[in-house]
Amino acid sequence: MRELKIGVIGTGRIGAEHIRRIQRHLSGAGVAAVASSSPKRAEKAAELYGIPEVMTAEKLIRDPGIDAVLIAAPGSVHEQYLLACLECEKPVFCEKPLADTGESSRIILEAEADAGRRLIQLGFMRRFDRHHRELRELVCSGSMGHPLMVHAVHRNPRAGEDFDDRMEIMDAAIHEIDVVPWLLGGDPLAACRVLHGRTASCAEGKLYDPQLMILETVSGVLIDLEVFTHCDYGYDISCEVVCEQGTVSLPASVSNIVRQGSYRRVREYDFWKERYQAAFDMELQHFIDGARAGALEGPTAWDGYMAAAAGEACLLAQKSGKRQEICYMEQPALYQDAEGFGR
Amino acid sequence: MRELKIGVIGTGRIGAEHIRRIQRHLSGAGVAAVASSSPKRAEKAAELYGIPEVMTAEKLIRDPGIDAVLIAAPGSVHEQYLLACLECEKPVFCEKPLADTGESSRIILEAEADAGRRLIQLGFMRRFDRHHRELRELVCSGSMGHPLMVHAVHRNPRAGEDFDDRMEIMDAAIHEIDVVPWLLGGDPLAACRVLHGRTASCAEGKLYDPQLMILETVSGVLIDLEVFTHCDYGYDISCEVVCEQGTVSLPASVSNIVRQGSYRRVREYDFWKERYQAAFDMELQHFIDGARAGALEGPTAWDGYMAAAAGEACLLAQKSGKRQEICYMEQPALYQDAEGFGR
Amino acid sequence: MRELKIGVIGTGRIGAEHIRRIQRHLSGAGVAAVASSSPKRAEKAAELYGIPEVMTAEKLIRDPGIDAVLIAAPGSVHEQYLLACLECEKPVFCEKPLADTGESSRIILEAEADAGRRLIQLGFMRRFDRHHRELRELVCSGSMGHPLMVHAVHRNPRAGEDFDDRMEIMDAAIHEIDVVPWLLGGDPLAACRVLHGRTASCAEGKLYDPQLMILETVSGVLIDLEVFTHCDYGYDISCEVVCEQGTVSLPASVSNIVRQGSYRRVREYDFWKERYQAAFDMELQHFIDGARAGALEGPTAWDGYMAAAAGEACLLAQKSGKRQEICYMEQPALYQDAEGFGR
Amino acid sequence: MRELKIGVIGTGRIGAEHIRRIQRHLSGAGVAAVASSSPKRAEKAAELYGIPEVMTAEKLIRDPGIDAVLIAAPGSVHEQYLLACLECEKPVFCEKPLADTGESSRIILEAEADAGRRLIQLGFMRRFDRHHRELRELVCSGSMGHPLMVHAVHRNPRAGEDFDDRMEIMDAAIHEIDVVPWLLGGDPLAACRVLHGRTASCAEGKLYDPQLMILETVSGVLIDLEVFTHCDYGYDISCEVVCEQGTVSLPASVSNIVRQGSYRRVREYDFWKERYQAAFDMELQHFIDGARAGALEGPTAWDGYMAAAAGEACLLAQKSGKRQEICYMEQPALYQDAEGFGR
């Protein structure tokens, strides 16, 4: 089968990571062109990773030599580029979020529906993490009874200077907002509360940190989620699903065990790159394989819409301090039969 | 030093445990008399553990041959017996709760204040658990910055037929209600929410189970506590305190590690007796030593009052589904200088 | 039942520990007299722990006010004192070793046989450790098939200046030499090798450290045992029994889990006192209960003899570098029916 | 850079795995031809994985369209094919063992020396395992002092019907024989003992299982290694390096933590494929990258020779039951400057 020629839009941290991944680690694809709001950065990436062409995003999407597109640009331009891809009927991998507003999301969903087949895979990499997948499988097997509660923690050692209350939800918590309903076998979020108490000194003035989110699903599962983006010690994701006859939890960080100086210790993950490296590889290989086969699977634009809608409700709850219900548009037929990877 | 002659009131499960403990495992004391609402059970305990006398609770408290009293009878009779003990100026170990109502608690506090010295030790055994104590020490050392959040879980494998929503708080959660503020170095609870979602099938009709309690302390620490008294797999207490530069958690159950049949497994605790056996021993030895030395330490009647007041607020919150503030009476001078074990 | 009046011989580290234990933590006994090769230390202990009398060991053993004896003096005087106790028919708890030489051991065994009933309990405290006991139970249940191999580690953070190759076996390894055959359900050691390679710098000139002992049991189980008395980081005892359909291992040290500064850590035990505190308590309470009931159980003089015989073979193997068979005298009838605690 | 066209010789279990890996998961290479002693199996693999050509091994090696060769055929044909590859100056990835006899190994080393540059990468995948690499890094950093001992375990759940004492060493233990000296920073094995005791019922008649190998390195490190290929419960590799001021151990199997039915459990690995999947990927990607860059790194033919020489000494020791010294030929200059991955 012919190698998939991918055009990458965006050369920031995650964009560069994806380019390196495609060029050095994955099978069946190559980056054929790169676009960036910073042409300098695009040139640099092209040189570093042997990418033959640098062009504008608009041109890249329409270039007949480009088979598929990867969007790692800011959320504000997603609508524009996704619509262009859909118009050209090119498979596109789009980093979260699907779009910046609910209105944008809706327009994208409609355009994909018009295209008549799935062309968008959304970058929720956790669904490709082995432990998340096994957890989902066990919970959905029913062997421990119905799920009743979820305890989740999302900790980053530190966050950029511009990190604010909005990003605490839309950049950090958004992963749990997507993945927990999926872990529960497709049990959408129905309501949310966002609480905060004492804030860590190093975050004061910027945002409330940590924050405690209380989510409820349609079937009545209660979820508590600590989001703490200045926890100092490491990148730490934990999740325990409590069922009627047992619980299942993601493993903590894995490393060699050192006994020294009165302690037995293991290293925490430093950053999300280390924790989810294999999941990122698998996610993108999955996109490549799907695009080559002409049958995209993996997280859909609809998944992106659901997460965005819940995230927006959380933002309201964050401001009001009150319980906020979450409403969704009706699910387009295109996604109702969506089957495939992790569904 | 002369052996302490203890009179025990109550021969239910916990009373019998305490008798066995004093007669077989602890130093410096013996059970000299036993009283019970069921004289038959009192006779049986007396025979089984070699206790010389069976009498009524009232007589036992006043008997000059009895140096100290242990109350393991239902909460409804605590006020009556505690007041009698205070009147006789006898040291008394009282199982939680201090009393059944706030009014009762207040009367007891005043009576102890009138006595002019501490005569009551309350049965919050967790404060004597090695791991709880080390956790408190580390948090209070300040080496990880201020505490910000606490995640706690309280699971029992199953509960009696009469277990209801009130007991979910006053019998189960009451331990965390007492111990978490203590772990934080004396940071009283200020408000609470009690939420429930889907209930485990085996508890349906009896109570909401599990329940999720969200507590706030005066200094702004947010606490989420899962109470689940029908979790099926074991007795599981966990607690993680999240601080500005790190977190500290109680260890999970400890047992040999078995590799067999595709799994590596450790045994969960079956029941609270196993988990807290050493803490119960230490708690009661501490009472014996304190009573013999004429200087009681350990959890006070005031601690019992604080927990009861917070517990009652939780009951209101449980009914209303709303955030409920917690109010306390002014702390009597007797307890303001209270120092000692774990303070 | 009357309190057991114990006379303690020896007020070194372990003697003082036992005195404190009896006076402060255990039930049914008190230290009524103390003897020491250093009268000054004896006086000090008497004062510190409220012991009424200080006397010579000989007088103490014969004093009619003394019901039972605890020997925590050096091994070289064990024979003399044990024979005196047997002559007086007084129950005696004797710290390991039973005696300094095989000849001494034999004389003691014969004297106890002459007494016609068990009067000696030997201080192998590990048999009272909860995890050792559960491990033994599981292995002996047969649910994992026959045991085939054992991997054991015995590490101390540091050792005294006088610690030498002999003590590496007779003071450190002696615990595994006793306990491993017991864990296997009574499978005596049949042969041994003692190897050493590179020695830790801090031990150089004093002894070979670590040493690797390869033991074989009568039924063909192979045991490798690392003894390392200068491991620096903590007191660490581990043991895995490999069976035909699974393995079982003692748990590592237990403490709170701290996440801080890029690591997740738990504290190692500092010293044997901390690791085996509950086992020491249980061991001595067991002696007190047995002495009061007139029916001693727990590790026997014969167990002491077996360990000493194997230990002496290990000393020969340590010198020769070769495989050394281990021979035992015939088991006296007194011990053949020995039943009871952990048997 | 042009895609590397690889010819694969051998389509057994490991050969098929490597083909799948190259075709589906790795970057920069494709399988252009396949050869097998069973033409049927070769045809099947070609069809399954879209390989354009099936040919004989001899033709494949000489085909100008083939850039590099992967040998996954039995050890007995390695010499023949490796020599052909060296003659054609084609980079070749060769599964362990390098060759079947020491004489064969020597001939191969000389031929590679004649070629004047490294053309062979040997399939010791553990050197690419993240945890092995981090362990090596820590030990070699010297931050814990010199290494003194190693405890290693190599367990397979079960083995084929033809598995025998020779394979216990040359197929199973060979991995530790290679990797432990490497973990110690290049400390060759100097002597060995191979002991066996009781054998698991299910292996009886076929081989001694488990076996205990005691290895010594040139610098005096003692290594004990349990090899047990019928352990029933899973694939379990463990390794602890004991240094002067601490120890470091590989982590046990990683999976979600399930609390259910009185236990907390994690899944053991079922097979080596699962445990070392990422290491296999990295190993082969490394070969592809090195072959394309014209500068091969990774385990050398010399590493293969060293392991084979030590393995043969172990076979002698296994027969004699005695300590056996291990001798090596002088290291050819080609390997003396060998630098690179994991060196």
Side-chain angles (χ1 to χ4, degrees):
Chain A
M1 208 185 304
R2 208 172 71 80
E3 185 178 80
L4 189 77
K5 288 185 194 316
I6 299 179
V8 174
I9 302 171
T11 52
R13 206 169 46 177
I14 182 79
E17 272 294 303
H18 280 319
I19 290 172
R20 189 192 53 74
R21 201 180 308 283
I22 296 168
Q23 298 295 75
R24 303 269 162 87
H25 290 291
L26 302 182
S27 178
V31 179
V34 62
S36 172
S37 59
S38 150
K40 219 187 216 158
R41 226 162 45 192
E43 289 293 350
K44 212 173 132 188
E47 193 175 355
L48 189 60
Y49 294 106
I51 303 171
E53 296 204 63
V54 174
M55 42 178 96
T56 64
E58 288 76 10
K59 232 190 118 204
L60 179 152
I61 293 171
R62 283 173 168 83
D63 190 310
I66 297 299
D67 304 322
V69 178
L70 187 158
I71 301 176
S76 53
V77 297
H78 284 192
E79 178 187 347
Q80 169 190 0
Y81 296 152
L82 284 172
L83 293 182
C85 291
L86 292 172
E87 203 185 310
C88 304
E89 295 197 39
K90 288 197 181 164
V92 53
F93 179 93
C94 180
E95 272 303 323
K96 59 158 183 88
L98 177 64
D100 246 19
T101 67
E103 183 52 22
S104 271
S105 296
R106 246 168 257 120
I107 292 170
I108 295 163
L109 289 178
E110 275 165 35
E112 197 178 27
D114 287 350
R117 60 181 179 111
R118 287 197 47 206
L119 287 165
I120 301 172
Q121 179 179 328
L122 215 70
F124 286 131
M125 81 291 185
R126 288 213 199 157
R127 298 201 187 187
F128 293 87
D129 175 64
R130 185 159 74 89
H131 300 297
H132 280 78
R133 298 176 66 75
E134 289 183 8
L135 190 153
R136 181 178 187 271
E137 214 170 289
L138 182 56
V139 168
C140 296
S141 76
S143 64
M144 302 195 300
H146 285 286
L148 304 171
M149 266 195 196
V150 176
H151 306 298
V153 164
H154 182 135
R155 294 183 192 139
N156 289 66
R158 67 206 74 84
E161 268 314 298
D162 61 336
F163 212 86
D164 61 14
D165 282 326
R166 180 187 167 81
M167 295 169 81
E168 192 95 342
I169 288 169
M170 295 309 260
D171 279 53
I174 198 73
H175 282 291
E176 279 80 12
I177 287 173
D178 170 65
V179 91
V180 172
W182 177 80
L183 289 174
L184 298 174
D187 187 6
L189 298 180
C192 57
R193 284 180 183 85
V194 180
L195 310 175
H196 57 83
R198 182 169 191 146
T199 278
S201 314
C202 63
E204 238 159 340
K206 286 171 59 183
L207 77 165
Y208 295 115
D209 195 41
Q211 300 189 24
L212 183 64
M213 303 174 58
I214 312 292
L215 309 170
E216 307 168 26
T217 72
V218 166
S219 85
V221 175
L222 279 180
I223 300 148
D224 55 83
L225 165 62
E226 174 203 320
V227 185
F228 188 9
T229 51
H230 294 78
C231 83
D232 194 77
Y233 72 83
Y235 179 71
D236 194 1
I237 300 299
S238 75
C239 181
E240 179 182 34
V241 178
V242 183
C243 299
E244 290 177 307
Q245 286 107 40
T247 87
V248 52
S249 311
L250 296 177
S253 74
V254 183
S255 86
N256 291 326
I257 300 151
V258 177
R259 289 164 158 88
Q260 191 174 20
S262 307
Y263 291 97
R264 189 166 70 252
R265 66 174 196 256
V266 300
R267 202 164 50 74
E268 291 287 336
Y269 297 125
D270 182 47
F271 218 24
W272 48 268
K273 270 204 285 193
E274 184 185 6
R275 169 67 181 87
Y276 286 113
Q277 189 170 293
F280 279 117
D281 283 2
M282 197 172 157
E283 161 192 71
L284 216 46
Q285 184 70 62
H286 194 79
F287 173 72
I288 292 168
D289 296 351
R292 291 172 89 197
L296 224 52
E297 292 174 345
T300 64
W302 175 253
D303 293 323
Y305 162 75
M306 296 274 284
E312 275 170 35
C314 289
L315 288 174
L316 292 178
Q318 193 183 47
K319 277 198 187 99
S320 72
K322 297 202 177 131
R323 182 173 181 278
Q324 175 75 36
E325 302 213 343
I326 305 171
C327 300
Y328 305 98
M329 61 181 281
E330 207 184 338
Q331 192 185 39
L334 179 61
Y335 309 104
Q336 278 164 17
D337 302 327
E339 287 248 51
F341 195 76
R343 268 136 202 294
Chain B
M1 207 185 306
R2 208 171 74 79
E3 185 178 80
L4 189 77
K5 288 182 194 318
I6 300 180
V8 174
I9 302 171
T11 52
R13 203 169 49 174
I14 181 79
E17 272 294 304
H18 280 319
I19 290 171
R20 189 192 52 74
R21 202 180 306 284
I22 296 167
Q23 298 296 75
R24 301 272 162 86
H25 290 291
L26 302 183
S27 177
V31 179
V34 63
S36 173
S37 58
S38 150
K40 217 187 217 160
R41 223 159 49 188
E43 289 293 350
K44 210 174 135 189
E47 192 174 355
L48 187 60
Y49 295 107
I51 304 171
E53 298 203 63
V54 174
M55 43 178 96
T56 65
E58 290 75 10
K59 231 191 119 203
L60 179 153
I61 293 171
R62 282 174 168 81
D63 190 310
I66 297 298
D67 303 322
V69 178
L70 188 156
I71 300 176
S76 53
V77 296
H78 285 193
E79 179 186 345
Q80 168 190 359
Y81 296 151
L82 284 171
L83 292 181
C85 289
L86 292 171
E87 201 186 312
C88 304
E89 295 197 37
K90 288 197 181 165
V92 53
F93 178 93
C94 181
E95 270 305 323
K96 59 162 184 84
L98 177 64
D100 247 19
T101 66
E103 182 53 22
S104 272
S105 295
R106 247 169 256 120
I107 291 169
I108 294 163
L109 289 178
E110 273 166 36
E112 196 178 29
D114 286 351
R117 62 185 179 107
R118 290 196 44 207
L119 287 165
I120 300 172
Q121 179 179 328
L122 215 70
F124 286 130
M125 82 292 186
R126 287 213 199 158
R127 299 199 185 188
F128 293 87
D129 174 64
R130 186 159 74 88
H131 300 297
H132 280 79
R133 300 177 65 74
E134 289 183 8
L135 190 153
R136 181 179 187 271
E137 213 171 287
L138 182 56
V139 168
C140 296
S141 75
S143 64
M144 300 196 301
H146 285 286
L148 304 171
M149 267 194 196
V150 175
H151 306 298
V153 164
H154 183 135
R155 296 185 191 136
N156 289 67
R158 67 206 73 84
E161 268 314 297
D162 61 336
F163 212 85
D164 60 15
D165 283 325
R166 179 186 168 82
M167 294 169 83
E168 191 97 342
I169 288 169
M170 295 310 259
D171 279 52
I174 198 72
H175 282 291
E176 278 79 12
I177 287 173
D178 171 65
V179 91
V180 171
W182 177 80
L183 289 174
L184 299 175
D187 187 7
L189 298 180
C192 57
R193 283 180 184 84
V194 180
L195 310 175
H196 57 84
R198 182 168 189 146
T199 276
S201 316
C202 63
E204 239 158 340
K206 285 170 60 182
L207 77 165
Y208 294 116
D209 195 41
Q211 300 190 23
L212 182 66
M213 304 174 57
I214 312 291
L215 309 170
E216 308 168 25
T217 71
V218 166
S219 85
V221 175
L222 280 179
I223 300 147
D224 54 84
L225 165 63
E226 173 202 322
V227 185
F228 188 10
T229 51
H230 294 79
C231 83
D232 193 76
Y233 71 84
Y235 178 72
D236 194 2
I237 299 298
S238 76
C239 181
E240 179 183 32
V241 178
V242 183
C243 298
E244 291 177 307
Q245 285 106 41
T247 86
V248 52
S249 311
L250 295 177
S253 75
V254 183
S255 86
N256 291 326
I257 300 150
V258 177
R259 287 164 160 89
Q260 192 175 22
S262 306
Y263 291 98
R264 190 165 70 251
R265 66 174 196 255
V266 300
R267 202 164 49 75
E268 292 287 336
Y269 296 125
D270 182 48
F271 217 23
W272 48 267
K273 268 205 285 193
E274 184 185 7
R275 169 66 181 88
Y276 286 113
Q277 189 170 293
F280 279 118
D281 282 2
M282 197 172 156
E283 164 192 70
L284 215 46
Q285 185 69 63
H286 194 78
F287 173 71
I288 293 167
D289 297 349
R292 291 171 90 196
L296 223 54
E297 293 173 346
T300 65
W302 175 252
D303 293 324
Y305 162 75
M306 295 274 285
E312 277 171 33
C314 289
L315 289 174
L316 292 178
Q318 194 183 46
K319 278 196 187 101
S320 71
K322 297 203 177 131
R323 182 175 180 275
Q324 175 74 36
E325 302 214 344
I326 305 170
C327 300
Y328 306 99
M329 62 180 280
E330 207 184 337
Q331 191 185 40
L334 179 61
Y335 309 104
Q336 278 164 17
D337 303 325
E339 289 246 50
F341 196 75
R343 272 136 198 290
Chain C
M1 207 185 306
R2 208 172 71 81
E3 184 178 81
L4 189 78
K5 289 184 192 315
I6 300 179
V8 174
I9 302 171
T11 51
R13 206 169 44 176
I14 181 78
E17 272 294 302
H18 280 318
I19 290 171
R20 187 191 53 75
R21 201 180 308 283
I22 297 167
Q23 299 293 75
R24 302 271 162 87
H25 289 291
L26 303 181
S27 177
V31 180
V34 62
S36 172
S37 59
S38 151
K40 218 188 216 157
R41 225 162 44 189
E43 290 292 350
K44 213 174 131 188
E47 193 176 353
L48 188 60
Y49 294 106
I51 304 170
E53 295 204 65
V54 174
M55 43 177 95
T56 64
E58 290 76 9
K59 234 192 116 205
L60 179 151
I61 293 171
R62 283 174 168 81
D63 190 309
I66 297 297
D67 304 320
V69 178
L70 187 157
I71 302 177
S76 54
V77 296
H78 285 193
E79 178 187 347
Q80 170 189 358
Y81 296 150
L82 284 171
L83 293 181
C85 289
L86 292 171
E87 203 186 311
C88 304
E89 295 197 39
K90 289 200 180 162
V92 53
F93 179 93
C94 181
E95 271 304 323
K96 62 168 180 82
L98 178 64
D100 246 19
T101 67
E103 182 53 22
S104 270
S105 295
R106 247 169 255 118
I107 292 170
I108 294 163
L109 289 178
E110 275 166 35
E112 197 179 27
D114 286 351
R117 60 182 179 110
R118 287 198 47 204
L119 287 165
I120 301 173
Q121 179 180 327
L122 215 68
F124 286 130
M125 82 290 185
R126 287 212 200 159
R127 299 200 186 188
F128 293 87
D129 175 63
R130 185 159 74 89
H131 300 297
H132 280 79
R133 297 177 66 75
E134 289 183 7
L135 189 154
R136 181 178 187 271
E137 213 170 288
L138 182 56
V139 168
C140 296
S141 75
S143 64
M144 301 194 301
H146 284 286
L148 304 171
M149 266 196 197
V150 176
H151 306 297
V153 165
H154 182 134
R155 295 184 193 138
N156 290 65
R158 66 206 76 83
E161 267 316 296
D162 61 335
F163 211 86
D164 61 14
D165 282 326
R166 180 186 167 81
M167 295 168 83
E168 192 95 342
I169 289 170
M170 295 309 259
D171 279 53
I174 198 73
H175 282 290
E176 278 81 12
I177 287 173
D178 170 66
V179 92
V180 171
W182 178 80
L183 289 174
L184 299 174
D187 187 7
L189 298 180
C192 57
R193 285 179 182 86
V194 180
L195 309 175
H196 57 83
R198 181 168 191 147
T199 277
S201 314
C202 64
E204 237 159 341
K206 286 170 61 183
L207 77 164
Y208 295 115
D209 194 41
Q211 300 189 25
L212 183 66
M213 303 176 57
I214 311 291
L215 309 169
E216 307 168 25
T217 72
V218 166
S219 84
V221 175
L222 279 180
I223 300 147
D224 55 83
L225 165 62
E226 174 203 321
V227 186
F228 189 9
T229 50
H230 293 78
C231 82
D232 194 76
Y233 72 82
Y235 179 71
D236 194 2
I237 300 299
S238 75
C239 182
E240 180 184 31
V241 178
V242 183
C243 298
E244 291 177 306
Q245 286 106 41
T247 86
V248 52
S249 311
L250 296 177
S253 74
V254 183
S255 86
N256 291 327
I257 300 150
V258 177
R259 287 163 160 90
Q260 192 175 23
S262 307
Y263 291 98
R264 189 168 69 251
R265 67 175 197 255
V266 299
R267 203 164 49 76
E268 291 287 336
Y269 296 124
D270 183 48
F271 218 24
W272 47 268
K273 270 204 286 193
E274 184 185 6
R275 168 68 180 85
Y276 285 113
Q277 188 170 294
F280 278 117
D281 283 2
M282 196 172 158
E283 163 192 71
L284 216 47
Q285 185 69 62
H286 194 79
F287 172 72
I288 291 168
D289 296 350
R292 291 172 89 195
L296 224 53
E297 293 174 345
T300 65
W302 175 252
D303 293 323
Y305 162 76
M306 294 275 284
E312 274 170 35
C314 288
L315 288 173
L316 291 177
Q318 193 183 47
K319 278 198 185 99
S320 72
K322 295 199 178 135
R323 181 173 181 277
Q324 176 73 37
E325 302 213 343
I326 304 170
C327 299
Y328 306 97
M329 61 180 281
E330 207 185 336
Q331 192 184 40
L334 179 62
Y335 308 105
Q336 278 163 16
D337 303 326
E339 287 247 51
F341 197 76
R343 267 130 204 297
Chain D
M1 209 184 306
R2 208 172 72 80
E3 185 178 79
L4 190 77
K5 288 183 192 316
I6 299 180
V8 174
I9 301 171
T11 51
R13 202 170 47 175
I14 180 80
E17 272 294 304
H18 280 319
I19 290 171
R20 188 192 52 76
R21 201 181 306 285
I22 296 168
Q23 298 296 74
R24 303 270 162 89
H25 290 292
L26 302 183
S27 177
V31 180
V34 62
S36 172
S37 59
S38 151
K40 218 189 217 156
R41 223 161 48 189
E43 290 293 350
K44 210 173 133 188
E47 193 175 354
L48 188 60
Y49 294 106
I51 304 172
E53 297 204 62
V54 173
M55 42 178 95
T56 64
E58 289 75 9
K59 233 193 116 204
L60 178 153
I61 293 171
R62 282 175 169 80
D63 189 309
I66 298 297
D67 304 319
V69 178
L70 188 155
I71 301 176
S76 53
V77 296
H78 284 194
E79 179 186 345
Q80 169 190 357
Y81 295 151
L82 283 171
L83 291 181
C85 290
L86 291 171
E87 203 186 310
C88 304
E89 295 198 38
K90 288 198 181 164
V92 52
F93 179 93
C94 181
E95 269 306 322
K96 62 168 182 79
L98 177 64
D100 246 19
T101 67
E103 183 52 21
S104 270
S105 295
R106 246 170 256 118
I107 291 170
I108 295 164
L109 289 177
E110 274 166 36
E112 196 178 28
D114 286 350
R117 61 185 180 106
R118 290 196 46 206
L119 287 165
I120 300 171
Q121 179 180 327
L122 216 69
F124 286 131
M125 81 291 185
R126 289 214 198 157
R127 298 198 186 189
F128 293 87
D129 174 64
R130 186 160 73 89
H131 300 296
H132 280 79
R133 299 176 65 75
E134 289 183 6
L135 190 153
R136 182 179 186 268
E137 213 171 289
L138 183 56
V139 168
C140 296
S141 75
S143 65
M144 300 196 301
H146 285 286
L148 304 171
M149 266 194 196
V150 176
H151 306 298
V153 164
H154 183 135
R155 295 184 192 137
N156 289 66
R158 67 206 75 84
E161 267 314 296
D162 61 335
F163 212 86
D164 61 14
D165 282 326
R166 180 186 167 82
M167 294 170 83
E168 190 97 343
I169 288 170
M170 295 310 258
D171 279 51
I174 198 73
H175 282 291
E176 279 79 13
I177 287 173
D178 170 66
V179 91
V180 172
W182 177 80
L183 289 174
L184 299 175
D187 187 8
L189 298 180
C192 57
R193 285 180 182 83
V194 180
L195 310 175
H196 56 84
R198 181 168 191 147
T199 276
S201 317
C202 64
E204 238 158 341
K206 286 171 58 182
L207 78 164
Y208 295 115
D209 195 41
Q211 300 190 24
L212 182 65
M213 303 175 57
I214 311 292
L215 309 169
E216 308 168 25
T217 72
V218 167
S219 84
V221 174
L222 280 179
I223 300 147
D224 55 83
L225 165 63
E226 173 203 321
V227 186
F228 188 9
T229 51
H230 294 78
C231 84
D232 193 75
Y233 72 84
Y235 178 72
D236 193 2
I237 300 298
S238 76
C239 181
E240 179 183 32
V241 178
V242 183
C243 299
E244 291 177 306
Q245 286 105 41
T247 87
V248 52
S249 311
L250 296 177
S253 74
V254 183
S255 87
N256 291 327
I257 301 151
V258 177
R259 288 164 160 89
Q260 191 175 21
S262 306
Y263 291 98
R264 190 167 68 250
R265 66 175 197 256
V266 300
R267 203 165 48 77
E268 292 286 337
Y269 296 125
D270 182 49
F271 217 25
W272 48 267
K273 269 205 285 193
E274 183 186 5
R275 169 67 181 87
Y276 286 114
Q277 188 170 294
F280 278 117
D281 282 1
M282 196 172 158
E283 164 191 69
L284 216 46
Q285 185 68 62
H286 195 79
F287 172 71
I288 292 167
D289 296 349
R292 290 172 90 196
L296 224 54
E297 293 174 346
T300 65
W302 175 252
D303 293 324
Y305 163 75
M306 295 274 285
E312 276 170 33
C314 288
L315 288 173
L316 291 177
Q318 193 183 46
K319 279 198 184 97
S320 71
K322 295 201 178 134
R323 182 176 181 273
Q324 176 74 36
E325 301 214 344
I326 304 169
C327 299
Y328 306 97
M329 62 180 281
E330 207 185 336
Q331 191 184 40
L334 178 62
Y335 309 104
Q336 278 164 17
D337 302 327
E339 289 247 52
F341 197 75
R343 274 145 190 287

